Amino acid sequence: MQFNFPKKLLLGAASAATQIEGGKVDGNWHDWYRKGKIADNSNPEITTMHWKYWKEDSLLLKEAGVQTYRMGLDWARIYPRENEVDYEAVWQYRNEILLIKEQGIKPLLTLHHFSNPMWFERMGGFLNTKALIYFLNYVKFAAETFGDLVEDFVTVNEPNVYTFKGYGEGSWPPGCKNPFKIIKVLENLAYCHIESYKIIHETRKKMGFLNTKVGFANHLRVFDPKNEKNPFDKMAARLSEYTFQEIVTRAFTLGEFCFPLRNKYKIEKGVYVDFHGVNYYSRTVNFMGVRKNSPRNDLNWEIYPKGLIRCAEKLDEIKRLPIWVTENGTCDNNDAFRCRFIAEHLKAICESDLPFERYYHWCFCDNFEWADGCSMRFGLIHLNYETQARTVKRSAEFYKKIIKAGSITKELWNEYVEPQKYNIK
Ligand code: BGC
């Protein structure tokens, strides 16, 4: 029993600017914290202080043995005011990317990961059609400024999660509870993604680069009926899948706007991604349920490795493109089952015929888990938030070894995976 990684597969880790950087930024999540909306009252100004420790962290990435790193830019840091760039921040990001590259690690750059500058949020954010130009200006600036260093870009992270939590559930900024707004924001985000796709390609082409890869990170989950035989359950699962992800996938990937999304900007059908970016974590039953007697992580999400392949198969049916797992990981506060989680998801990839090319484990280090705060740990590297000490977890050690071996060998499986068990609930 040995699982060899596909030849083309690069293995890496991911992070997002607001979740790790810390420091004073006038952004929507800093504002959300000030409004008292973070479960454990964690302050995004502190979190892992990566903005201060970026050099140490870049060296840690090398030590963790990753081949590629998905990192984010914070728009609010680059544009603290609507027409004003902070060149010191830009310079630091460039130096960080350079250092990562010097160590032989390939960067993948995310431009938008749930965070907006407050000046943009006050204009109405992605609800305001007239404000979208500010986002596109930032994308152009980022492509011009980092395009000589970076080939691969993620435009927008998880448009469905961003809109559902921020405009439907209201548990994330800006805290709206209005399904009509979800639709409008999704339409505007799809337009922004497609324009960004064109801008990044054009900008890098002018620089003489033809190897640009652009996509978005699509949050996909499996929706299954609670009871396979119950027509109501089947309908609930199908409806969830359609509204939460299928319309998003089609609009962003192909410029195909299905009900209830409208093609307001008269976008031509086409292919607006160079890869399918998949963020995969879990399965849902019916609308928001969790399967009984299933393995669970510390946030009570089901652990279901086969679901990664089921989601990727759906994308492949829509359009054959390379598949990049832009995020996959789990909340495991004691690092008690992360090795098993990694091994089982990678095993599923090894056994599949689909064109998987990247796997980014979420997250490189423990971090600010949005409204759940810093106590929910997803990292390969442990953070002591009081001392800011970083410690390599056993799961990071395992990940490093399998990357080096190019496979999950029988010995590594027996040593790291076999002893670990999930909690069943
Ligand atoms: C997000 C990450 C987040 C992770 C775990 C994804 O939805 O892109 O930012 O930390 O899930 O919740």
Side-chain angles (χ1 to χ4, degrees):
M1 183 193 59
Q2 163 156 331
F3 304 102
N4 299 323
F5 300 141
K7 285 236 153 41
K8 274 194 156 182
L9 187 74
L10 287 185
L11 291 117
S15 69
T18 305
Q19 290 183 271
I20 64 167
E21 286 180 356
K24 284 209 185 308
V25 177
D26 196 14
N28 55 343
W29 280 94
H30 297 72
D31 180 66
W32 205 235
Y33 160 74
R34 282 190 292 270
K35 290 184 171 136
K37 305 277 194 178
I38 309 299
D40 62 1
N41 208 30
S42 304
N43 183 351
E45 268 186 25
I46 301 172
T47 180
T48 75
M49 303 293 282
H50 172 76
W51 195 245
K52 183 170 172 200
Y53 296 110
W54 64 274
K55 283 191 191 143
E56 289 84 339
D57 287 348
S58 306
L59 300 176
L60 260 179
L61 275 174
K62 171 79 178 165
E63 201 182 311
V66 299
Q67 298 163 323
T68 174
Y69 178 49
R70 177 180 167 214
M71 61 173 275
L73 300 179
D74 191 336
W75 177 13
R77 204 184 269 290
I78 296 184
Y79 277 89
R81 275 160 293 279
E82 53 189 88
N83 290 313
E84 189 185 315
V85 171
D86 178 346
Y87 282 96
E88 247 180 70
V90 169
W91 206 241
Q92 177 162 324
Y93 278 128
R94 276 191 66 90
N95 284 335
E96 180 179 356
I97 297 170
L98 279 166
L99 183 56
I100 288 164
K101 287 181 59 154
E102 264 169 32
Q103 301 182 87
I105 299 169
K106 195 173 170 63
L108 164 62
L109 199 60
T110 308
L111 303 180
H112 187 272
H113 197 130
F114 302 154
S115 301
N116 298 328
M118 273 317 283
W119 56 259
F120 178 76
E121 200 83 333
R122 281 190 209 104
M123 289 177 182
F126 287 99
L127 262 179
N128 178 357
T129 311
K130 292 205 184 99
L132 305 183
I133 189 69
Y134 289 100
F135 178 72
L136 296 177
N137 286 342
Y138 153 66
V139 171
K140 184 153 189 286
F141 178 80
E144 285 166 353
T145 312
F146 303 104
D148 59 328
L149 301 179
V150 180
E151 291 166 16
D152 307 330
F153 292 82
V154 164
T155 56
V156 178
N157 184 70
E158 301 191 343
N160 53 358
V161 173
Y162 173 77
T163 47
F164 175 73
K165 297 235 179 212
Y167 295 88
E169 207 177 64
S171 54
W172 284 15
C176 293
K177 292 183 186 170
N178 179 343
F180 293 105
K181 290 192 176 166
I182 297 189
I183 297 170
K184 192 161 178 206
V185 175
L186 276 179
E187 289 165 350
N188 287 347
L189 277 174
Y191 166 74
C192 283
H193 158 72
I194 290 171
E195 286 302 302
S196 304
Y197 178 85
K198 295 178 194 160
I199 292 171
I200 298 167
H201 271 287
E202 276 160 23
T203 310
R204 290 226 337 134
K205 202 167 157 195
K206 276 193 206 141
M207 293 175 170
F209 301 115
L210 299 174
N211 54 354
T212 312
K213 299 274 188 307
V214 184
F216 74 106
N218 194 358
H219 179 102
L220 297 178
R221 34 200 320 118
V222 170
F223 286 97
D224 271 340
K226 192 169 169 197
N227 172 354
E228 299 276 345
K229 291 188 187 122
N230 179 328
F232 168 78
D233 289 2
K234 277 167 90 170
M235 192 201 64
R238 178 66 193 118
L239 193 63
S240 306
E241 186 188 339
Y242 179 79
T243 51
F244 189 68
Q245 49 205 35
E246 193 171 324
I247 55 170
V248 175
T249 303
R250 288 189 179 275
F252 283 65
T253 308
L254 303 173
E256 215 179 283
F257 290 79
C258 310
F259 179 81
L261 298 185
R262 298 150 308 169
N263 187 358
K264 274 196 321 208
Y265 299 95
K266 307 276 174 279
I267 294 165
E268 277 180 34
K269 285 193 185 156
V271 182
Y272 297 111
V273 293
D274 302 306
F275 56 87
H276 287 300
V278 184
N279 287 5
Y280 175 76
Y281 287 89
S282 186
R283 156 160 73 178
T284 295
V285 292
N286 289 14
F287 293 116
M288 308 265 276
V290 188
R291 208 171 196 83
K292 277 205 182 127
N293 298 321
S294 59
R296 306 284 174 89
N297 76 7
D298 292 346
L299 278 167
N300 210 25
W301 302 353
E302 181 184 349
I303 298 170
Y304 178 53
K306 196 176 155 205
L308 171 60
I309 309 303
R310 288 179 61 192
C311 291
E313 274 165 1
K314 295 232 159 116
L315 292 175
D316 195 57
E317 274 165 30
I318 288 176
K319 176 82 196 158
R320 167 129 305 199
L321 286 169
I323 298 169
W324 293 13
V325 181
T326 33
E327 282 179 33
N328 173 244
T330 197
C331 179
D332 174 10
N333 293 327
N334 302 310
D335 205 38
F337 50 83
R338 187 171 285 104
C339 294
R340 178 171 283 279
F341 182 97
I342 294 173
E344 289 183 355
H345 285 80
L346 283 173
K347 169 176 176 279
I349 290 178
C350 294
E351 288 171 345
S352 148
D353 294 331
L354 293 169
F356 283 100
E357 284 190 356
R358 303 270 175 103
Y359 173 88
Y360 291 89
H361 191 73
W362 181 272
C363 179
F364 164 56
C365 56
D366 291 336
N367 62 77
F368 175 72
E369 179 51 28
W370 307 114
D372 287 314
C374 289
S375 32
M376 290 302 156
R377 295 177 181 269
F378 279 76
L380 291 165
I381 305 292
H382 178 272
L383 246 293
N384 177 329
Y385 291 106
E386 275 170 20
T387 62
Q388 289 295 332
R390 279 110 163 105
T391 318
V392 175
K393 295 186 190 176
R394 194 169 151 78
S395 49
E397 187 184 293
F398 170 65
Y399 195 43
K400 179 179 182 169
K401 288 188 178 169
I402 57 176
I403 296 176
K404 186 153 185 248
S407 62
I408 312 175
T409 61
K410 194 169 171 229
E411 292 72 29
L412 289 172
W413 187 285
N414 288 344
E415 186 182 345
Y416 289 88
V417 183
E418 204 50 49
Q420 297 199 334
K421 299 275 172 286
Y422 298 126
N423 298 315
I424 311 281
K425 281 190 199 157

